Amino acid sequence: MLTGNAAAAWGVRLAEVDYIPVYPVTPQTEIIETLAKWISDGDMDSKLVTMDSEHSMITAAGAASATGVRAFTATSSQGLMYGFEMLYTVAGWRVPLVMVNVSRGLSSPITLEPDHNDVLAARDSGFLQIHCETCQEVLDSLLMAYRLVEDEQVLLPVIVNMDGFYLSFTREPVEVPELETVRKFLPPYQPRHAFFKASQPMAQGVAVLGGSMYSYFKYQMHLASQNALNVYKEVCGKFEKEFGRNYDTIEGYMLEDAKYVLVMTNSFSTLGKAAVNKARERGIKAGLLRLRLIRPFPVEDITGALKGRRAVAVIDQNISIGKGGILHSEIASCLYNEKQRPHLLSFIGGLGGKNISPGEFEFIFDNMIKVRGVEGEGEKTSQLLYTETEWKEMARLKGIAGKG
Amino acid sequence: MLRLRFHGRGGQGVKVASRVLGTAAFLEGYYAQDFPLYGAERRGAPIAAFTRISEEPIMERGVISEPDIVIVMDKTLLYDPRIMPVSGLKKGGIVFINTPQSPEEARAEYKISGQIITLDITKICLDILERTILSSLAGAVASKIAGLREDSLKEAVEKVISEIVTDRVLIEKNIEASLYCFNAIPPVELKTAEVIQKGSGVITMPFETAGVSSPALNATGNTPLRRTGNWRVFRPVWNYDACTRCMICVARCPDGCILVNEDGFPYTDYDNCKGCLICVEECPTKTLEKIREVHAKKVIGK
């Protein structure tokens, strides 16, 4: 029985990481506390350093990675925002840093429970992104992440994401692999382009002036990220061979004959799967597609999984203020040129960790069925999942706050 | 699936209690999941934790709003309208309350309709562990009510507590206290059925101006109305015969809860004193002594 945070720490321990700069932030702190304890007890041979901010922390982690060692760091929410400048910078260095983000809603109003505006804000930075549903997946993804980004075809940093509270503090059974097996899957990092070596000086992360140079470097990052799709498949196959667990770029649940498909990410996908089971009991051919690899975006896999369905509902646990669900836009761009494109509906749910109740899932399936067969009658805006009971409770609280 | 909810206060071991139960269930071959919920961490703040136990893989996450079993580790929470520990308890469900009262007395005082079990686990904890960290005891009570085995509990306490402390004696005492509680709870039968959630309709949220929809409070603050003294385990009581009015207690009280009366003697603001007992510790003349709060009413007649 491990929390998501403890599972992440186990991933770092088994990956035999060399350097871990840290800065605490709820709900991530348990990861670095666990690592600090192991290092202090002599169970782990790594260097852990407490930094003065997330900005310094990501700089230190990226810089360590550029010296050719295996580095790790972790943050969440406001901390990710504080270090934001360095995400783009470190990605541009083309170093294989692995970072965990424990999702938590962004201020204001300040909160503690999860949604994905924090990690999706880092969407365009060059960091790859792997989003996890279970604690086991957190541990496994860390091992896969190092193998993926240390590949010469990739060499970009990666964020492994899990939900605060719903995974970070939730214990569930987790199988911790043997170190020897992990070593077979994840050999030591052999840096080829960024390292410290006697009599071999180099300058990294240099400035450029002139768009043609800048464009070259940026587009090379994009190509490397695109390469990661194929490398990911290889890593996935090798991981399954060694550990018996398969994690493709996407996960289909009851998808084979599904006509109505939910698209979800992270820990609430578990609730979505339960809703699919319930819908099936009602005779609805329901299924769920969980996005695991968000950057690079596995366009072909997603298109293959969604084309020909009657309706697809994207449940975004995020909100792009002024537009709506972020992943809905991305899925729409995958499907626009498909002949057999499904009706695409957009829902926003679970902001700040708000529960998505079985009733709200029923509402989504009812909407998908309603839209059936009517050309062009897709939703133009994202529908917020918010119940009458919640609205009434909010009204009561507004009264207490003197806003009656 | 069996769903349990623990209610207590920061520092009482609520999270660890849910882990003791989760681990015991896991060791017995069930699927298990446990999960605490708290805001900005603070000793004494209300905390809930949850454990799910199932023969099938668990397809739920997050808070349990309709528990089969509620474990109330701090009975003062039963009066807190924000917490309402028994809310959502399923028909036929069981409430455990940490109190010296009998189930009938507790039922009359707290107006609870479900099946009630009581045990003064704070007393057992003080007797065996000499402190009030109730985690293994509450976990033991929950394990018994959930129908788990004694050997699973024992192994779970050993496993969970040794992840937190290294003192072998303390681990043994935790095991002793938990087994005592496990055996003090009579076997019970849980008669709950799966709840079909009625659900509430999804609305389309209307616009409201920033005067309403910004996260600002326009009402006067009400923090002074919240009496933080309601969850003391021990109450400091005064015997002025020995008091020299040295004011060390006034200076040491971390919450500013020791005031001075017209004659220059210090006294406690019991509405807000959290019972940390630093005053009792610091008093050079032993003017202060501690009395367990549940007995204080009888002793000092207040």
Side-chain angles (χ1 to χ4, degrees), chain A residues 373-389:
Chain A
V374 186
E375 267 309 317
E377 208 195 81
E379 294 287 332
K380 298 282 190 298
T381 54
S382 301
Q383 162 79 44
L384 177 71
L385 297 173
Y386 205 81
T387 66
E388 203 175 338
T389 311

Side-chain angles (χ1 to χ4, degrees), chain B:
Chain B
M1 189 183 320
L2 213 51
R3 299 171 183 85
L4 289 92
R5 197 168 66 203
F6 296 79
H7 288 277
R9 293 187 182 275
Q12 283 180 331
V14 181
K15 174 175 102 173
V16 177
S18 75
R19 288 185 168 192
V20 166
L21 175 65
T23 304
F26 174 73
L27 291 169
E28 212 162 306
Y30 292 102
Y31 288 95
Q33 183 194 75
D34 52 60
F35 166 75
L37 188 70
Y38 40 81
E41 295 86 307
R42 174 167 66 80
R43 208 158 256 271
I47 284 178
F50 313 87
T51 307
R52 292 184 169 92
I53 302 170
S54 175
E55 287 174 355
E56 311 288 328
I58 295 168
M59 302 285 277
E60 293 179 11
R61 293 199 175 280
V63 301
I64 293 171
S65 50
E66 282 156 341
D68 299 280
I69 298 165
V70 170
I71 306 289
V72 183
M73 294 165 66
D74 186 313
K75 63 176 184 159
T76 62
L77 292 170
L78 289 162
Y79 282 127
D80 193 326
R82 290 181 314 161
I83 310 300
M84 296 193 291
V86 187
S87 69
L89 180 74
K90 282 187 195 168
K91 200 162 182 276
I94 295 173
V95 183
F96 168 81
I97 306 172
N98 171 22
T99 172
Q101 293 166 308
S102 71
E104 292 70 32
E105 286 166 343
R107 184 185 308 287
E109 182 169 351
Y110 303 111
K111 317 269 185 296
I112 296 167
S113 56
Q115 216 184 133
I116 300 178
I117 297 171
T118 61
L119 185 65
D120 188 358
I121 59 172
T122 302
K123 181 175 189 310
I124 299 164
C125 198
L126 285 167
D127 289 348
I128 300 175
L129 289 157
E130 294 162 10
R131 65 198 79 196
T132 54
I133 302 171
L134 308 168
S135 34
S136 6
L137 298 89
V141 166
S143 298
K144 182 65 172 278
I145 299 173
L148 298 176
R149 292 196 311 261
E150 190 173 341
D151 61 314
S152 320
L153 169 70
K154 191 178 170 194
E155 202 181 332
V157 172
E158 164 93 48
K159 207 169 154 45
V160 173
I161 301 301
S162 43
E163 281 170 13
I164 306 166
V165 296
T166 48
D167 179 357
R168 193 61 227 169
V169 177
L170 193 54
I171 296 166
E172 291 297 338
K173 283 183 174 178
N174 268 281
I175 293 170
E176 184 193 340
S178 66
L179 295 184
Y180 182 93
C181 291
F182 187 91
N183 290 309
I185 301 289
V188 281
E189 202 186 337
L190 191 68
K191 294 177 213 142
T192 52
E194 281 296 306
V195 173
I196 309 295
Q197 287 184 325
K198 306 165 286 293
S200 161
V202 174
I203 57 148
T204 300
M205 191 183 283
F207 170 76
E208 295 186 320
T209 59
V212 175
S213 67
S214 64
L217 301 176
N218 300 348
T220 320
N222 57 10
T223 306
L225 303 178
R226 179 160 285 278
R227 295 180 167 188
T228 53
N230 71 343
W231 48 272
R232 276 189 304 269
V233 177
F234 287 100
R235 165 188 294 229
V237 290
W238 299 79
N239 167 19
Y240 290 114
D241 295 348
C243 180
T244 61
R245 294 184 279 185
C246 70
M247 300 296 142
I248 288 175
C249 56
V250 177
R252 289 287 189 269
C253 175
D255 288 314
C257 287
I258 300 180
L259 312 173
V260 181
N261 68 18
E262 287 166 2
D263 303 325
F265 284 100
Y267 67 97
T268 305
D269 163 14
Y270 289 117
D271 284 344
N272 293 298
C273 163
K274 295 169 185 163
C276 72
L277 304 178
I278 288 174
C279 52
V280 177
E281 192 69 31
E282 293 288 332
C283 177
T285 60
K286 305 292 166 218
T287 289
L288 285 144
E289 63 169 330
K290 60 174 190 179
I291 294 180
R292 187 147 171 230
E293 193 61 33
V294 289
H295 307 310
K297 280 182 194 159
K298 288 174 201 159
V299 176
I300 58 178
K302 189 186 173 189

Side-chain angles (χ1 to χ4, degrees), chain A residues 69-308:
Chain A
V69 302
R70 191 172 275 168
F72 171 79
T73 192
T75 189
S76 169
S77 183
Q78 307 304 126
L80 186 73
M81 293 298 106
Y82 197 74
F84 203 79
E85 179 188 10
M86 293 315 293
L87 296 179
Y88 278 72
T89 306
V90 164
W93 294 346
R94 305 292 308 275
V95 290
L97 168 66
V98 176
M99 179 161 86
V100 163
N101 181 65
V102 184
S103 269
R104 162 182 158 188
L106 292 173
S107 200
S108 294
I110 196 159
T111 192
L112 292 172
E113 291 151 289
D115 62 40
H116 306 134
N117 267 90
D118 60 353
V119 65
L120 290 177
R123 182 187 64 170
D124 306 330
S125 64
F127 272 69
L128 311 186
Q129 293 198 4
I130 299 172
H131 291 222
C132 302
E133 182 191 348
T134 66
C135 296
Q136 180 75 57
E137 199 179 330
V138 171
L139 192 162
D140 293 348
S141 295
L142 270 155
L143 303 177
M144 292 176 76
Y146 279 106
R147 171 111 196 203
L148 173 66
V149 294
E150 286 173 4
D151 191 293
E152 214 179 356
Q153 295 297 308
V154 182
L155 285 171
L156 281 169
V158 57
I159 291 173
V160 174
N161 196 68
M162 74 171 112
D163 282 333
F165 288 80
Y166 295 96
L167 277 200
S168 72
F169 297 161
T170 299
R171 292 197 327 157
E172 50 188 26
V174 175
E175 196 183 315
V176 179
E178 293 295 326
L179 183 59
E180 285 311 310
T181 324
V182 173
R183 280 180 178 157
K184 271 194 270 172
F185 169 75
L186 181 66
Y189 173 42
Q190 304 286 350
R192 289 173 197 275
H193 80 299
F195 47 75
F196 268 170
K197 206 169 181 184
S199 311
Q200 211 172 317
M202 61 174 96
Q204 294 191 23
V206 296
V208 296
L209 282 176
S212 62
M213 278 185 281
Y214 185 82
S215 302
Y216 167 79
F217 290 116
K218 280 291 160 184
Y219 201 71
Q220 283 297 325
M221 287 168 69
H222 177 64
L223 293 175
S225 188
Q226 293 286 297
N227 281 351
L229 285 170
N230 284 332
V231 177
Y232 183 87
K233 300 267 181 193
E234 282 169 36
V235 171
C236 182
K238 292 197 170 113
F239 188 89
E240 186 177 10
K241 192 167 145 267
E242 215 61 69
F243 303 100
R245 289 184 289 275
N246 178 283
Y247 300 102
D248 206 341
T249 58
I250 53 172
E251 182 202 357
Y253 183 77
M254 312 274 273
L255 215 47
E256 210 155 279
D257 63 340
K259 291 180 175 167
Y260 304 99
V261 178
L262 301 174
V263 177
M264 295 182 77
T265 66
N266 290 282
S267 69
F268 272 19
S269 307
T270 308
L271 307 181
K273 289 173 182 174
V276 165
N277 290 348
K278 278 206 172 140
R280 289 260 169 184
E281 282 169 22
R282 287 164 62 202
I284 300 167
K285 287 202 166 169
L288 182 140
L289 178 73
R290 179 168 70 92
L291 308 182
R292 195 177 120 75
L293 193 63
I294 304 266
R295 278 296 176 272
F297 204 58
V299 172
E300 279 182 32
D301 291 345
I302 292 171
T303 311
L306 295 182
K307 69 179 179 192

